[in-house]
DNA sequence: AATAATATCTACTAATTAGTAGCGGAATTT
DNA sequence: AAATTCCGCTACTAATTAGTAGATATTATT
């Protein structure tokens, strides 16, 4: 075995554990949220000790930032992999559907706008901001194109559509339906999409 | 001055300060959220010391519970004071409009579904649960009546409408619009209502 | 004016948790 | 096999903050 492959093997193991950490973080964030998630929680969930955790991420903020970046990257990848022929409105719908499924399967809300603490923290995370702006640029363009082509309401300011769209990815109605209704995930996704697009009125 | 009026005067002063405490709590909760709000914050905002604060509320959970109960009561009162002739859909719209205005004017999100901690805490607060169930009963009836009369989509499960309606009261789009768009509060309310009822599609 | 009663504050305790120092043991090299 | 390196862990520190004890001021009563 050459030195290179050995190093690369170590690196691979390291990367693998890093992913396990991010998975655990994502899941714990999804259930308890930022403030209640302790670094001990994460370490225990992965089966390592806290100092080992800090070998990978230099702080709690850093860890959560990376977990969110991975999520954003997932969204960007999802968009990139979509059939280019699709209409903007179809891309937006598919992306929202994907985001809702991620959440229903135990992931964290896509947009953790919920806590002021987390929001401030993220605003200071340049790496995160960069990714978000990239994704935002793409979505904003899709929204405007969809308005142009008459698939999204052209009379609404695109800001309103954009922020409302984002908000649907972290809509608490999802959790309430999951907890209190007998619907399965597919039905929840279907109804959330319909409400997002057409509202609740007849 | 009789003993009775003295006592009642003291009580009045006590009640007055209690309201000031709840006002401060509401405002701080609105800006920082539960986890970042400290009891010292509240005491300082009111201009009293922490032990005095604890003369009114026996714990942080209790304090926040009472603030939320006052908010729920506000909603119940608002509904009660509405013209009985209004159609259910009109009542629902007016209530949502009221809730959005409360928030835009520095109040806290109507439904603090955001934090798992807060939600769990409230679930253990019988007094709060009782009020919420009362309000929920009224809103649920309005939703079903509005579906019956064809003003709300009768094909959607009423659960979906109900939870989506609640979610609009704490929709983060409101804060984003307030922070990043040039709209005034009236426009924000108008657009949020439209999106809630008719969605974002054309 | 002296005393009693009450209200409010300063200064503490206790518990939680982010982050770290430094030890012990396994793998790797000579 | 001995020496060295490196990894992960136990056990700590420091900081924050909910909640309280007990001193202090203020008001009411005689």
């Amino acid at each position: 075995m050459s030195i290179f492959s050995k190093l690369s093997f170590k690196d691979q193991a390291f990367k693998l554990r890093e992913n396990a950490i991010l998975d655990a973080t994502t899941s714990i964030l999804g259930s308890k949220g930022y403030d209640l998630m302790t670094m001990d929680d994460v370490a225990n969930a992965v089966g390592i000790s806290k100092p080992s955790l800090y070998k990978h991420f230099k702080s709690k903020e850093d860890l959560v930032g990376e977990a969110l970046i991975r999520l954003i990257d997932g969204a960007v990848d999802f968009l990139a992999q979509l059939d280019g022929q699709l209409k903007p409105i179809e891309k937006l719908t598919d992306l929202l559907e994907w985001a809702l499924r991620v959440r229903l399967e135990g992931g964290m809300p896509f947009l953790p706008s919920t806590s002021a603490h987390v929001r401030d923290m993220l605003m200071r995370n340049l790496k995160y901001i960069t990714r978000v702006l990239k994704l935002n640029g793409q979505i904003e363009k899709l929204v405007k194109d969809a308005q142009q082509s008459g698939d999204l309401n052209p009379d609404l300011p695109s800001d309103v559509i954009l922020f409302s769209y984002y908000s649907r990815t972290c809509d608490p109605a999802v959790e309430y339906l999951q907890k209190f209704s007998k619907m399965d995930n597919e039905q929840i996704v279907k109804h959330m999409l319909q409400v997002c697009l057409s509202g609740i009125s007849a």
Side-chain angles (χ1 to χ4, degrees), chain A:
Chain A
M1 222 186 241
S2 84
I3 280 181
F4 288 126
S5 64
K6 262 183 203 164
L7 280 179
S8 135
F9 175 74
K10 251 188 200 169
D11 280 356
Q12 256 179 291
F14 194 82
K15 204 78 196 162
L16 224 65
R17 191 164 54 169
E18 196 149 297
N19 259 308
I21 294 171
L22 289 174
D23 287 345
T25 303
T26 302
S27 144
I28 296 172
L29 276 180
S31 55
K32 314 177 91 170
Y34 179 81
D35 295 289
L36 272 97
M37 178 187 97
T38 73
M39 294 303 261
D40 287 293
D41 285 341
V42 177
N44 289 337
V46 180
I48 60 176
S49 71
K50 207 161 37 151
S52 299
L53 180 52
Y54 277 87
K55 285 274 190 293
H56 290 262
F57 303 95
K58 73 172 196 297
S59 68
K60 186 178 177 184
E61 300 205 348
D62 183 45
L63 170 59
V64 172
E66 291 298 328
L68 282 161
I69 285 169
R70 202 178 55 154
L71 195 67
I72 303 283
D73 285 346
V76 171
D77 291 349
F78 180 85
L79 268 183
Q81 144 271 291
L82 278 180
D83 180 359
Q85 305 294 333
L86 290 175
K87 293 169 68 179
I89 182 71
E90 291 169 324
K91 288 186 183 174
L92 286 170
T93 310
D94 288 353
L95 180 62
L96 178 52
E97 190 173 333
W98 173 83
L100 290 171
R101 281 222 174 82
V102 165
R103 250 185 90 197
L104 282 165
E105 277 148 25
M108 80 190 114
F110 190 57
L111 192 78
S113 59
T114 47
S115 142
H117 190 169
V118 176
R119 199 170 45 224
D120 291 353
M121 170 189 101
L122 292 173
M123 290 292 190
R124 280 179 273 114
N125 185 334
L126 189 61
K127 191 171 167 192
Y128 175 81
I129 293 288
T130 310
R131 309 291 177 103
V132 164
L133 285 180
K134 181 183 171 187
L135 177 60
N136 183 61
Q138 298 187 20
I139 297 183
E140 199 171 2
K141 183 164 187 325
L142 288 173
V143 165
K144 285 181 173 155
D145 289 351
Q147 283 187 290
Q148 200 91 92
S149 66
D151 290 313
L152 286 181
N153 189 342
D155 299 329
L156 281 171
S158 40
D159 276 3
V160 171
I161 296 185
L162 192 62
F163 293 140
S164 292
Y165 179 82
Y166 286 140
S167 301
R168 288 304 83 69
T169 65
C170 59
D171 196 312
V174 171
E175 273 137 42
Y176 283 114
L177 286 174
Q178 200 171 25
K179 210 174 271 182
F180 300 120
S181 85
K182 295 287 172 202
M183 290 175 210
D184 60 38
N185 289 357
E186 288 310 303
Q187 286 175 296
I188 294 176
V189 168
K190 193 188 82 190
H191 286 128
M192 290 304 298
L193 286 174
Q194 191 191 342
V195 167
C196 177
L197 290 172
S198 309
I200 60 177
S201 78

